[in-house]
Amino acid sequence: MLSTLRIRHIGVIDDAMLEFGPGFTALTGETGAGKTMIVTGLTMLLGGRLDRGRTRESSTVDGTLALSGHDELAASLDELGADEEDGEVLVVRRVTRDGRSRAQIGGVPVPIGTLAGLVGTAVTVHGQSDQQRLRDLDAQRVALDRFATTEIGPLLEHHRAIWRERSALTERLTDLDDLLAERDRRGTVLREALERIELADPQPGEDDALRAELERLGNAEELRSTATQAALALVGDDDGPAAGALLDVAGEAAGRGARTDATLAPLVERLDAVRIELSDVAAELTRYAEDIDASPGRLDEANQRLHELTVLVRDLGTMLPGTDGPAADITALLETSRGAAIDLDRYEGAEQERATAAARLETVQTELDQTAESLTSARTAAAAELSEAVQEELRHLEMPDAAIRVDVSPQTHRSHGRDAVAILLAPHPGAEHLPVGQAASGGELSRVMLALEVALSSSRHDRSAAPVFVFDEIDAGIGGRAALAVGQRLARLARHAQVIVVTHLPQVAAHAGTHLQIVKSSTDGATSSTVENLDRSARIRELARMLAGDDASDVALAHAEELLEDARVVVGGDRPTGGDRVVSGERG
C-alpha cells in the first residue's frame, strides 16, 4: 500500500503531502489545481521521466510504501540493504532542471531501472497513454495465469522445474560431447605420455640432483685433495704440527692452572669440546675424500640418466594440460602430469554418463511436452472464463456492445510453456477483434483496463499482498450511467487492492473511501495550493461543485448528499472518509 506521497517543485505544486487510505482514494479539484502533477509524481516513483517544462531547480518525490504481503519486494529490498521502518520503506526520486536524475530506496542509491523494477511490482499507473499491461503480451499471459492461479500455478511451477532440468541436461550433454571429442583427440597422446613418465619413474628434483652430482664427479680429484689437506691440517701427521696437537697442549696447560684456580675449569671443558668437534670434522673430511667416486662408469651413468630426463621434459613438457609453455624441469613435468591423469579419469566415465544423460533428457522432454499441453489446456479454459468475466464487467461499465476475447495461441517453447496470450477487443458489433491497445479509444481503453483489473481481482484472496492501482482520467469521455458504473467497479476493485483515482466526475468520487481535494488559490500575485482530506460535509460541498459548479446551491448540495448516500449503499456499508484537517500546504 502507498501510505504517503510528498511532491516538491513540480509544475504548480511547490510542496504537497498526500496521505492515502487503504481502499479507494479519489483526487478531485478544479482544472489547473495540480491533479495531473500528482500522477506525474507517482509515475516518477516508477522511473518515469519528468517534462523539463514542469521541473524547477530540483523536483523531488518521496513515497512511503508499506511492504506487508509483498514478500518478493521485501526480500529484494533486504538484499539491496534498504532500510525500512515499521514495515514501510521510503522511496525518493529527484530530478534537476538540467535532466540529472537520482533515486533512493530505503536510503540506498539505485539506478532508475532498478527503481522501476522494484516499485513497479507494487504500483501500477493506468493513464490513457500508459496502458502497458494491455499492450504487452507477456504481461497478458501473466495476468491470465494469475486469474486462474489455482489451476495454472502448480502446472506452471512444475513446467519451470522440468525446463530447468532440461536446460541443465542439455548443457551437460554439450560438455560431455566436448569432453569425448577431446578424448578422441588427446586421450591416446596423454595415455602414452603418462606411460613414458611411469616407465622412466623420475623423482621430483632428480634432474637438478644429477647436475650437481656431475659437477662433483667432474672435479673429483681436486675435491679429494682439498678434503685430505684440510683433514691433515686439523689432526696432522708425523711430518708437522696440526691444530689438534696444539689444542692438546692448550688443554693440558689450562688443566694445570685449574688445579690451582677453579675459575679456569669451564675453559678447560670448552677446550675439550672444541677438540672433540675438531676431531669429528676431520673424520668427516676424510670420509668425504674416500667416498668420492671418480670412476668413468658412474660419470657415464649419471650423464645418461640426465639426458633421459631432459628428453622427457622436452618431449612431454608441452603436451600435458596446465602448462602455459614448456615445462622447466622434471618437477614441473610431474606436477602437470597429475592434471593429465585427472583428465583421463574424466574421459573414462564420460561415455556412460552421456548415455545416462541422453536417456534422462528424452524422458524429461516427453514430460515437458505433456506439461506444456496441460498448461495450454488450463490456459484455454481460463481464457474463456476471463473473457466472460471481463465481458460482464464491460456490460456494467456501459460497453455492452463491445466483445472481448482472450486468445491462447502457440509460440516457441519457453520456460513458461508454449502459449502466447492476447486480449482482443471488438468495440462494436461487426468490428474485427484486434489487440485491445489498438481497438479501443482512450476512454474505452481505460474502462477495459478497469474491467480486466476487477475481473483479475476476483481471484485474489490475500488482501495483504494487494497491488496499488492509479487511474488517471479513467472517466474521460463518459458521464451519466457510465460514470456511475465506473465508480461502482472502482469501489469493487478497492476491496482487493488500493485504488487511487484522479477524476472529474462526482459519480466516481462519491464511491471513494478517502477523498482528497486539491485546491488552488492566488494571493498577492502568488499561487498556492492545499490538499485537504475531506470529511462528509466537505465531500458534499465538493461533489456539489463538481455537479453544478456551485457548492452553495441547495439543489446541488441535496443532489450531492443523495449521490454520496447511494454510493455508500451500493458499496455496502459505512466506510471511513477521513477527517477535515489540511494535509499539506503548497506554495507556487
Side-chain angles (χ1 to χ4, degrees):
M1 187 183 88
L2 189 63
S3 303
T4 64
L5 180 72
R6 184 180 183 186
I7 299 176
R8 285 172 285 178
H9 308 306
I10 296 181
V12 297
I13 296 180
D14 186 48
D15 193 343
M17 172 70 83
L18 295 85
E19 296 182 2
F20 301 105
F24 181 2
T25 297
L27 292 168
T28 65
E30 295 180 350
T31 301
K35 297 186 297 298
T36 302
M37 298 303 100
I38 304 299
V39 178
T40 298
L42 285 165
T43 57
M44 285 178 63
L45 289 185
L46 296 173
R49 299 179 62 183
L50 178 62
D51 189 335
R52 286 194 178 185
R54 295 174 175 174
T55 310
R56 309 232 193 124
E57 294 78 9
S58 176
S59 300
T60 306
V61 179
D62 304 343
T64 304
L65 192 63
L67 300 176
S68 177
H70 295 285
D71 296 338
E72 291 186 9
L73 175 59
S76 297
L77 294 180
D78 183 62
E79 183 178 348
L80 190 66
D83 294 328
E84 62 174 88
E85 185 174 349
D86 297 329
E88 294 186 332
V89 65
L90 180 65
V91 183
V92 181
R93 174 80 184 282
R94 182 172 179 266
V95 178
T96 59
R97 191 169 183 82
D98 59 6
R100 289 180 296 174
S101 180
R102 299 289 185 273
Q104 288 186 349
I105 301 179
V108 178
V110 295
I112 302 304
T114 301
L115 175 74
L118 291 174
V119 181
T121 62
V123 180
T124 301
V125 176
H126 294 307
Q128 289 194 32
S129 61
D130 189 32
Q131 305 287 359
Q132 293 304 317
R133 285 186 61 181
L134 289 183
R135 293 187 170 93
D136 185 85
L137 294 181
D138 283 339
Q140 293 176 29
R141 172 183 45 74
V142 171
L144 178 62
D145 289 350
R146 182 162 61 84
F147 175 73
T149 186
T150 301
E151 297 79 12
I152 294 176
L155 287 171
L156 183 58
E157 183 178 351
H158 183 52
H159 185 277
R160 283 177 170 155
I162 303 172
W163 180 273
R164 288 192 296 270
E165 183 180 1
R166 190 191 73 161
S167 298
L169 285 168
T170 301
E171 183 177 349
R172 182 55 183 159
L173 281 172
T174 299
D175 292 342
L176 289 169
D177 286 338
D178 292 342
L179 188 61
L180 290 171
E182 182 180 336
R183 181 199 64 179
D184 295 339
R185 186 176 67 254
R186 301 187 65 232
T188 301
V189 173
L190 292 180
R191 192 172 291 104
E192 290 177 352
L194 291 179
E195 288 174 356
R196 280 187 62 183
I197 292 175
E198 184 178 0
L199 184 63
D201 192 24
Q203 302 302 312
E206 184 181 356
D207 48 353
D208 291 335
L210 285 169
R211 291 186 184 94
E213 183 182 3
L214 286 169
E215 181 70 18
R216 185 170 64 253
L217 292 173
N219 297 277
E221 290 300 328
E222 181 181 353
L223 291 171
R224 182 184 295 111
S225 175
T226 56
T228 301
Q229 184 179 357
L232 290 174
L234 294 177
V235 298
D237 56 15
D238 297 337
D239 296 334
L246 295 176
L247 274 174
D248 290 340
V249 173
E252 290 176 1
R256 289 194 300 272
R259 287 194 288 273
T260 302
D261 184 358
T263 305
L264 292 173
L267 296 177
V268 174
E269 293 177 0
R270 290 172 64 186
L271 284 169
D272 287 341
V274 171
R275 188 169 62 249
I276 294 171
E277 179 65 19
L278 184 146
S279 178
D280 288 344
V281 171
E284 289 189 23
L285 285 168
T286 300
R287 285 195 298 272
Y288 174 82
E290 293 173 350
D291 290 343
I292 289 181
D293 184 5
S295 66
R298 177 53 193 162
L299 189 64
D300 291 343
E301 182 182 337
N303 269 314
Q304 183 176 353
R305 178 60 174 171
L306 180 60
H307 176 72
E308 180 183 358
L309 296 181
T310 302
V311 171
L312 197 66
V313 171
R314 183 196 65 196
D315 291 349
L316 305 184
T318 57
M319 295 172 56
L320 301 179
T323 55
D324 296 329
D329 52 31
I330 201 67
T331 301
L333 181 66
L334 289 173
E335 185 65 30
T336 56
S337 71
R338 296 189 183 96
I342 292 172
D343 282 350
L344 285 176
D345 288 342
R346 289 166 56 221
Y347 297 156
E348 291 300 323
E351 195 160 352
Q352 179 58 46
E353 184 182 352
R354 193 199 183 286
T356 302
R360 177 57 186 165
L361 179 60
E362 187 175 346
T363 300
V364 166
Q365 184 63 57
T366 299
E367 188 176 356
L368 189 67
D369 291 338
Q370 292 173 347
T371 306
E373 290 177 8
S374 298
L375 261 177
T376 300
S377 298
R379 283 181 175 139
T380 302
E385 294 179 14
L386 181 58
S387 300
E388 195 173 315
V390 176
Q391 189 73 54
E392 177 65 16
E393 292 301 324
L394 289 176
R395 186 182 64 80
H396 288 294
L397 291 171
E398 300 299 321
M399 293 180 65
D401 295 329
I404 200 82
R405 192 176 79 207
V406 181
D407 275 1
V408 178
S409 58
Q411 68 165 20
T412 303
H413 208 156
R414 294 161 62 185
S415 63
H416 54 72
R418 52 192 180 200
D419 304 318
V421 176
I423 301 176
L424 307 176
L425 175 70
H428 52 79
E432 181 184 358
H433 279 83
L434 296 174
V436 70
Q438 302 174 18
S441 64
E444 289 174 335
L445 194 59
S446 295
R447 279 185 280 171
V448 172
M449 189 71 255
L450 176 57
L452 178 63
E453 295 294 8
V454 172
L456 292 173
S457 70
S458 64
S459 63
R460 188 188 303 114
H461 304 294
D462 182 8
R463 174 61 188 272
S464 65
V468 180
F469 293 119
V470 181
F471 291 92
D472 181 24
E473 298 188 9
I474 192 172
D475 50 18
I478 63 172
R481 290 194 310 170
L484 191 62
V486 167
Q488 292 171 354
R489 305 330 277 179
L490 286 168
R492 180 177 174 183
L493 177 61
R495 298 173 188 171
H496 306 279
Q498 184 186 27
V499 178
I500 300 170
V501 179
V502 176
T503 181
H504 299 279
L505 296 181
Q507 296 94 328
V508 173
H511 288 82
T514 300
H515 191 154
L516 302 180
Q517 182 184 11
I518 306 171
V519 181
K520 182 177 72 171
S521 60
S522 298
T523 305
D524 297 329
T527 300
S528 63
S529 297
T530 58
V531 178
E532 299 179 358
N533 191 329
L534 305 182
D535 63 4
R536 180 178 175 81
S537 61
R539 289 191 70 184
I540 291 173
R541 290 195 300 274
E542 171 64 0
L543 292 175
R545 181 198 66 77
M546 296 172 73
L547 282 165
D550 184 1
D551 62 0
S553 166
D554 291 339
V555 174
L557 288 170
H559 187 186
E561 185 171 11
E562 181 182 0
L563 186 63
L564 191 61
E565 182 61 23
D566 288 346
R568 183 189 67 80
V569 172
V570 169
V571 170
D574 293 323
R575 291 166 285 109
T577 57
D580 58 352
R581 63 185 172 83
V582 174
V583 178
S584 71
E586 303 157 8
R587 177 68 55 186

